[in-house]
Each structure stands twice: as C-alpha cells, then as structure tokens.
Amino acid sequence: MYKIRRKIVKLAVYKYRYLILARKNELKVSYERGESMKLKKVLKKVGSIALCAMLSMTVLPPTNVSAAESLRGESVYQIMVDRFYDGDATNNAKGEAFRNAENSQDDFRYMHGGDWQGIVDKISYIKNMGYTAIWISPVTDPQLWGVPDANGKQWPTAYHGYNVYDPNRASRYFGAEDPEQSKQKLKALVDTCHANGIKVIFDIVPNHVGDYLQGTGNNAHYISSVGLKTGSQVQPVAPYNNVQWYHNNGDINFNLEHPHTESSTQMLENHDLGGLDDIDFDNQEAKAAVFDSVKNWFNYTGADAARIDAAKCMKPSDIHELQDYLGVATFGENFDMDVSFVKDWVGDNAETGMLDFPLFQAIVNDFAYGQNFNNTSEISIQAILNQDGLYGSHVNDMVTFIDNHDRNRFLTEAGGDVDKLHNALTFIFTVRGVPVVFQGTEQNRGNANGQIINGIADTWNRWSMVTKDANGNVVHDYFNTSTDTYQLITQLNSLRNQYEALVNGTQREMWSSIHTYAFSRRVDSGNNEGQELICAFHNAAGTENTTMSLRAESSIAPGTTLVNVMDSNDKITVTSDRKITVSLTGNHSKIYKIDENAEAMIPVNFTVNNATTNWGQNVYIVGNCTELGNWSPEKAVGPATCPNYPTWNLTAYLTPGTTIEFKAIKKDSAGNVIWQEGNNHTYTVPESGEGQITFNW
Ligand code: NOJ
Ligand code: NOJ
C-alpha cells in the first residue's frame, strides 16, 4: 500500500497581484498575494518521476548575426506572442486550456492561440511601422495549469510564459509539440526577423520557474498530481525539480520593500515573486543550469538582446555576469519608480539599460492625467529627468514606454484621448533612451471593454490583435495599417532613423512650466556634431505660446530658421537674443530642426524713440509676418533693450525682400498690452546686408 499522508498545505492562488496606487502626489507599489488559505489536501508522496529526459539542445556555433552590444538607435515593438496572431492552429492548446473569447476577465487567463508563425505572417505589419526590433514574451515551455488556488481551482498559467516548466524546451504552444520542431520554429522566426532587418529580443526568466513548490524551508515540497487537471505539471522538468535549487523562503512582502534598505533588497532577492519558485543563485549548480539554458537559446537562434524578467529580484552583479556570458545587450525589469534604486541595475558593472519605470510613471502622470510637468516633489517629467545623471553614460540605454503588458493601456489612462496618446508617443520617440511600444497601441484601442484595472494589469489590456467570439469567429481584426497612430509611429521611427540627435544626442532641458516642457537633443561630437532637435510638449487644453532661450551649448545662430519636422509650413526664427517662441495647441507637441532650405534672414535693427514706460513695461515689436508674431502680442519680438531711455533697440530677423507692417507695443509681465496708436508702419526688408528702421512711439 502507498502511504497516504494528510497534510495541511498552504496553497497559493494562481497569480500574485501587484497593487499600484499611482495617485496624484503619491505612489505606492506593492505586490500582494491574493487570498490564500489553508486547505486540507491529500498529499501523495510521489517518488521523483522523471517527467521528461532533459532536452539536450544542439548548441550550434554562434551565427554571423551580430549581437547587440547596445540597443541605442533601435525602436522596439513589444509582442505578447499568445495575443498577437495565430499563424498555426496545430500548436494551439487543447481542451479547456484554450479559449477564443475575450468577454470576461477570466477569458484573458487562457491560451488564445498566438504563436511564432503568427509573427512571421505579420512581419511586414511591424516592419512597415519602422520598428527595428521586437521583444517577444518568454520562449520556453510553460507550466500549463497552476497549483489549485484557495478555492481548489486551477488556472491556466501558460499563455504569458513567465511560469516556466522547462527552460530548455521551446514553448509547445508557440512552436510545435515536438521539441525539435518547436525550436526550429523559433529559429525560423529569428531568421525571418533578421532577413527583414529586425532584431529579436528574448524575454528571459532567470529568477524563477513556475509555482510548484509549496511550504517553506524544510517543508518545501512538490504536491501530487492526483486529482488535478489532465496535463498538470506539479514539478518543473529535471534537473529543475531539485528543492535545493530554490530559496523556499515564502513570498516577497511588497509592503515591506520600501524604503529600500539592505534587508528589504535581500527580501526581494531571496523570496518568491507571487509564489513563483525563486532560484537560488548562490547554488552554483542551479545558476549554471539557468545561465546555460539561456545561453543555448541565444547560440541556437542568434537572438540579439534580452529583456530580463523580474530583475528587481536578482542581484545586478548576477545579471551582469549573465549578460557577459550571453554577449548581448540586456535591459531588466525593475518595477519601481525610484531612480536612485533602479540605477543600481544600470551601467558597466550591471545591465546595459533598464526599463524606465520611473519615467513611465511620470508620462502617465503628466501626459495622461495632465499633472504638472514641473512639479519636482512628485513623479513628474522634470523630477525624473533631473535625475538622469544617475545613469551616467548609459542614459541613452534606458528603455522608455508608455504602458506594457502589466499596465493599463495608456489610452485608457488618458480617458480615450488620442491626442494625449500621440503626445506621449512623440515624447518617448524623442526623449533620451530606446522606445518600446506594446502591440496594438497603433490601433487606438485602450483596455478591452473600457475596463480600467487596479494593480497589475494582466487581463483587459492583453487583448488579441484578432479578437474572436467563443466559437472562433473573428469579431475584429486589429491589423489595420491606416490608423493615424500607425502612421504617426511610422513617421516617428523614420525621424529616429534620420536624426542621430534623437538616438545619441545629449538631452538638455530648455523649458519646464506647469503645462509646457521642452528639451534639446544635440549631438556634441562626432560626424553629426552640432545636429540639434528641439522638442516641445504641451499637456493641457488650449494654446500656449512659450518664449524660451536656446541652451548655452547650442550652436544654432540668431536669425536661423527652424522648421517643425511634422509640418513644413511651421517655421520659427531664432531671435537676436537667441530665443524662440513655440506655440503649442492642446495636448500637442512640436519638433524643430534647422531649416536647411530656408533663405538667410536679414537682421533688421529697430530703434523706437520716445517710448516712455511705466515700471514693469517693456517695448516689443509685433507685425504681420511670422517672425513678428503675426500681430499676436504674445508672440511679439522682444523685449527691446533700453541702454538710453526712452529709446529702445531690438534686432529682428526678417525675410529678404518682403514688405512688412508692424507696430511697437508696450507689454508688462502679466501680458497687459498697450498698442502704439496710428497706422501700421511699413518697411521693405533689403535683399542682403542689414536693415535699419527708426521711428517715434
Ligand atoms: C514581470 C512580468 O512582466 C509579469 O508579467 C510576470 O508575471 C512577472 N514578471 C513574473 O515573471
Ligand atoms: C490690432 C491693433 O490694435 C492695431 O493697432 C493694429 O494695427 C492691428 N492689430 C493690425 O492690423
């Protein structure tokens, strides 16, 4: 007879919950286990069943595809494979693990059929948007059914791939049932991408396998599969089914992670992330097995870079070692809004870059919620970018995003306002770093069903690009290439391609006020030295005109015409005192570059005699051309200087040969305007040289 023992087993619920409270001034991040409760379970002691002989992967010599040492210059499309496109129905999960519909929150926890062939099929959809890389969800074979939750229910855990079953086998649901064929399909995907000039970033999961082990310490054990769903795997594949390889300390308590101290950091490293069995990297055997399995995938497929899952729960030095071993660029996930903490994972002794969670939160706060750009005491654009120095020379390796598979879709956060979406996208494609955009963003669709998710977003935001009903009939195909956002992204990608300044340029703040933020990206050395783009953003309704100075480091000369790269009719001229006036409409942005085609402007010196002023007033010139503000006092040129009161002097750069009308105005800092009386003055700008106009107020 088998010896049956009755045991109290603490069962974890299917998936951990992160709770994110990002409200106004306050941001708290905590990961919280859903309820768990003690259940009596019959535990049958199983001898170690060799679940499968470990797949010995053929290790091919590295291919000639050059690994990415850095992802600078790339722009990345993030793909959750199961939710992208079903290119091969034969690999779909069978039976109840599979669902077509996306009507309820539960529907999103099942497999939906997307696979690597689907990405191959849709490669031109991605390529034509101008992306140069894709980041795909984990490639390894996943745990199909989780251990029973508090109610005894088993949830499928396979579609996202973060609950690993066999680190050495290519997901049977994304490739093929046959391991050999499956890995060939993965390689075929990488080859197709490379043939199309697209790099492939694997999402790797070295921190943990799935959630199998129950109990802690000496009581850590695998449960029996008796009474569980067919196909339940209750242990990872050998040799990963070795209890000694895991920390077995129980779950991370995310209520205790802040403030970050040595001991809270150790807790992150040595405990389970929501039940996921946490590999002990101090166990050399375990570490070598994990490193080798990852390395083999890179060797075999020639993939280009890695996104490191749950980097927050691993030592930066361990990840650095792995990165070195792989010989590719990596960026990790440290789900934390604290720059001084995240920066520990970035650098020559850590990772190439990191997912920029702090900036992400600032983007949501400022671009979706319309909070103040310039609030330095909360998570704002200015507050976060002010800390860029902490990333040292790796600042352009930070990976920027507006949402992802764990967050509400940006459009949902923005209340469906597509202008805000475009503004935020323009921001991540121009700000320092490497932009990554989650699949489907280009379709102007927020979370499915308009649902906002509190805490970790792992359902409504993960809709399939082809949405189906329960019977598998297509409800909506989201591979539309004519949306305005698809077009915008195409344009933004081509800009990054064209201007090194957007990739390597030094970023310098030019303006920061409640609702307007502007920076310059300038190439300070090398072939494109001096190339500079000026990017300005407005995050509220209504028009705002802002006059700002060029940076001292800028080599753009007074009189230079700048043109908006998104609208060739939108030109502005740098004034004699090195200022520009940027006019931004509601939730819009502009990107100015030097207009190479513009004819040289003529400096015209204005002398206004007899302009007596009250304290606080200054004299400006306004007129009927763009350079003189098109009669708008807010965009008038000035203030004039007054070395010899009440005579005022000012130089404006005007188009040669044009006849202009203008007046002087007096303006105070509150914007009160006094117009010069009488008729407008007229003047014809000379074709060359300089102009001089003298008149009385
Ligand atoms: C972070 C991933 O982005 C998330 O989706 C996943 O569930 C956890 N890490 C655990 O691997
Ligand atoms: C409005 C001013 O009041 C006026 O003085 C000026 O001549 C016109 N703008 C320009 O047409």
Side-chain angles (χ1 to χ4, degrees):
M1 282 296 284
Y2 292 104
K3 199 173 161 198
I4 310 275
R5 282 201 296 172
R6 290 199 155 258
K7 270 211 137 193
I8 308 270
V9 184
K10 192 177 179 216
L11 292 169
V13 293
Y14 139 77
K15 202 167 192 303
Y16 59 91
R17 296 272 175 275
Y18 305 60
L19 274 187
I20 310 288
L21 300 170
R23 291 282 170 276
K24 298 286 168 191
N25 297 349
E26 177 197 23
L27 183 106
K28 286 190 195 132
V29 181
S30 63
Y31 296 49
E32 192 183 78
R33 269 298 266 287
E35 343 125 61
S36 46
M37 87 185 214
K38 292 182 177 178
L39 278 191
K40 287 187 176 173
K41 278 275 303 177
V42 178
L43 188 90
K44 182 176 158 195
K45 243 200 163 175
V46 277
S48 64
I49 305 161
L51 288 166
C52 291
M54 198 180 131
L55 172 76
S56 68
M57 199 174 295
T58 330
V59 180
L60 299 179
T63 60
N64 56 0
V65 178
S66 61
E69 275 167 27
S70 148
L71 289 168
R72 283 184 207 179
E74 309 295 344
S75 83
V76 187
Y77 189 66
Q78 183 196 349
I79 296 176
M80 195 158 221
V81 178
D82 181 67
R83 303 300 155 85
F84 193 61
Y85 187 64
D86 187 358
D88 175 5
T90 66
N91 59 18
N92 289 352
K94 305 280 180 299
E96 57 173 332
F98 184 86
R99 282 192 192 184
N100 279 305
E102 298 186 346
N103 298 324
S104 71
Q105 200 159 19
D106 282 359
D107 283 346
F108 289 93
R109 305 198 189 277
Y110 293 78
M111 303 218 62
H112 289 208
D115 48 37
W116 298 321
Q117 182 60 46
I119 304 175
V120 170
D121 292 351
K122 295 294 182 186
I123 201 76
S124 47
Y125 175 82
I126 302 164
K127 186 184 177 175
N128 292 342
M129 250 183 298
Y131 287 108
T132 63
I134 57 171
W135 148 21
I136 57 171
S137 50
V139 302
T140 55
D141 202 42
Q143 180 180 18
L144 181 58
W145 293 104
V147 295
D149 72 8
N151 302 313
K153 183 171 166 72
Q154 281 186 275
W155 293 89
T157 61
Y159 79 88
H160 50 68
Y162 294 105
N163 294 24
V164 178
Y165 168 62
D166 184 351
N168 293 310
R169 174 170 169 169
S171 172
R172 68 189 82 187
Y173 308 108
F174 298 161
E177 179 72 31
D178 175 67
E180 198 57 33
Q181 260 182 36
S182 199
K183 68 183 209 199
Q184 284 164 10
K185 295 221 165 194
L186 179 59
K187 167 101 172 97
L189 167 63
V190 176
D191 289 347
T192 302
C193 288
H194 286 169
N196 282 277
I198 292 174
K199 291 195 165 79
V200 182
I201 302 166
F202 281 176
D203 196 328
I204 64 169
V205 190
N207 178 65
H208 52 260
V209 292
D211 179 9
Y212 307 94
L213 284 163
Q214 303 302 304
T216 56
N218 292 335
N219 185 36
H221 59 274
Y222 293 113
I223 64 168
S224 145
S225 60
V226 170
L228 300 184
K229 287 187 186 294
T230 320
S232 292
Q233 302 129 328
V234 293
Q235 305 181 356
V237 137
Y240 290 86
N241 58 348
N242 180 344
V243 180
Q244 304 306 318
W245 281 20
Y246 301 90
H247 280 119
N248 304 320
N249 288 327
D251 278 0
I252 294 168
N253 180 349
F254 282 98
N255 294 323
L256 302 180
E257 71 158 331
H258 292 117
H260 294 296
T261 60
E262 218 178 295
S263 76
S264 66
T265 299
Q266 269 180 29
M267 175 190 65
L268 293 171
E269 287 166 8
N270 301 338
H271 287 68
D272 289 6
L273 175 60
L276 297 168
D277 300 350
D278 196 64
I279 297 173
D280 181 359
F281 276 20
D282 292 331
N283 179 317
Q284 294 311 312
E285 224 189 331
K287 183 174 174 179
V290 171
F291 277 30
D292 284 340
S293 79
V294 177
K295 173 82 171 162
N296 285 345
W297 287 117
F298 280 84
N299 284 354
Y300 176 71
T301 61
D304 305 277
R307 178 259 189 191
I308 315 277
D309 185 58
K312 183 182 212 171
C313 305
M314 285 177 282
K315 289 192 183 74
S317 56
D318 281 333
I319 306 180
H320 180 71
E321 213 182 303
L322 176 59
Q323 178 181 285
D324 255 7
Y325 188 47
L326 300 178
V328 300
T330 75
F331 58 92
E333 177 215 23
N334 185 335
F335 201 129
D336 203 286
M337 312 312 169
D338 181 354
V339 178
S340 62
F341 185 58
V342 173
K343 70 112 174 45
D344 290 344
W345 277 258
V346 180
D348 293 344
N349 298 314
E351 297 198 60
T352 318
M354 284 295 275
L355 283 161
D356 201 334
F357 274 91
L359 190 62
F360 149 76
Q361 189 59 58
I363 290 168
V364 173
N365 288 349
D366 293 358
F367 285 99
Y369 306 158
Q371 288 177 205
N372 299 358
F373 279 130
N374 65 347
N375 189 329
T376 48
S377 59
E378 66 178 13
I379 298 178
S380 73
I381 295 294
Q382 189 184 32
I384 298 302
L385 293 177
N386 272 353
Q387 300 172 73
D388 267 1
L390 294 175
Y391 299 125
S393 62
H394 285 257
V395 69
N396 273 319
D397 297 313
M398 294 304 288
V399 179
T400 56
F401 57 99
I402 62 170
D403 61 22
N404 63 28
H405 63 301
D406 291 329
R407 308 308 301 130
N408 285 307
R409 295 262 176 183
F410 180 91
L411 199 54
T412 297
E413 296 285 9
D417 187 332
V418 174
D419 282 346
K420 289 183 173 183
L421 174 65
H422 289 183
N423 215 15
L425 283 170
T426 305
F427 184 76
I428 60 164
F429 278 82
T430 53
V431 77
R432 90 288 185 282
V434 178
V436 53
V437 178
F438 188 31
Q439 67 179 49
T441 304
E442 64 281 359
Q443 296 296 325
N444 290 346
R445 186 185 185 203
N447 290 353
N449 222 17
Q451 303 270 352
I452 195 141
I453 303 165
N454 291 317
I456 265 288
D458 61 359
T459 51
W460 299 108
N461 55 330
R462 296 179 176 182
W463 41 266
S464 298
M465 297 288 288
V466 177
T467 308
K468 297 176 181 161
D469 67 17
N471 300 319
N473 303 312
V474 174
V475 174
H476 199 110
D477 183 321
Y478 288 98
F479 285 100
N480 179 358
T481 56
S482 58
T483 69
D484 51 1
T485 306
Y486 188 101
Q487 303 300 330
L488 174 72
I489 291 172
T490 310
Q491 208 176 354
L492 290 168
N493 270 322
S494 101
L495 283 179
R496 285 180 63 83
N497 217 2
Q498 219 176 326
Y499 297 105
E500 194 204 333
L502 294 179
V503 171
N504 290 320
T506 306
Q507 181 166 315
R508 299 183 176 100
E509 184 179 283
M510 288 178 68
W511 189 261
S512 181
S513 61
I514 298 178
H515 292 306
T516 297
Y517 192 85
F519 55 78
S520 139
R521 299 289 311 273
R522 182 178 186 275
V523 180
D524 288 339
S525 60
N527 283 346
N528 293 317
E529 184 173 336
Q531 186 189 87
E532 182 171 355
L533 269 68
I534 292 171
C535 312
F537 302 84
H538 182 46
N539 74 342
T543 300
E544 193 166 291
N545 300 304
T546 308
T547 298
M548 59 188 86
S549 294
L550 296 183
R551 289 287 309 217
E553 300 86 348
S554 175
S555 34
I556 300 176
T560 304
T561 302
L562 304 181
V563 59
N564 180 356
V565 297
M566 306 298 242
D567 174 5
S568 56
N569 293 319
D570 175 4
K571 298 186 182 192
I572 54 175
T573 308
V574 179
T575 62
S576 55
D577 53 355
R578 305 182 77 247
K579 286 182 182 150
I580 54 172
T581 298
V582 181
S583 180
L584 294 164
T585 55
N587 291 305
H588 274 84
S589 39
K590 289 185 172 179
I591 307 167
Y592 284 110
K593 62 159 191 167
I594 292 179
D595 184 0
E596 316 279 348
N597 303 320
E599 46 185 338
M601 302 296 270
I602 304 292
V604 176
N605 306 310
F606 291 79
T607 302
V608 189
N609 292 319
N610 262 337
T612 53
T613 48
N614 295 329
W615 185 251
Q617 286 179 327
N618 278 299
V619 172
Y620 296 74
I621 302 292
V622 61
N624 68 347
C625 54
T626 320
E627 296 75 31
L628 296 179
N630 284 321
W631 291 120
S632 159
E634 288 159 35
K635 296 192 237 165
V637 177
T641 56
C642 191
N644 202 0
Y645 185 81
T647 297
W648 298 73
N649 301 309
L650 169 156
T651 301
Y653 286 85
L654 304 174
T655 310
T658 52
T659 298
I660 55 157
E661 294 190 22
F662 63 93
K663 273 188 170 180
I665 56 172
K666 294 173 189 171
K667 200 167 71 163
D668 64 17
S669 59
N672 300 311
V673 175
I674 296 171
W675 287 84
Q676 199 186 2
E677 285 177 2
N679 293 335
N680 299 337
H681 303 278
T682 46
Y683 176 74
T684 300
V685 181
E687 293 290 350
S688 60
E690 290 192 10
Q692 176 67 47
I693 311 166
T694 305
F695 58 96
N696 294 330
W697 177 272

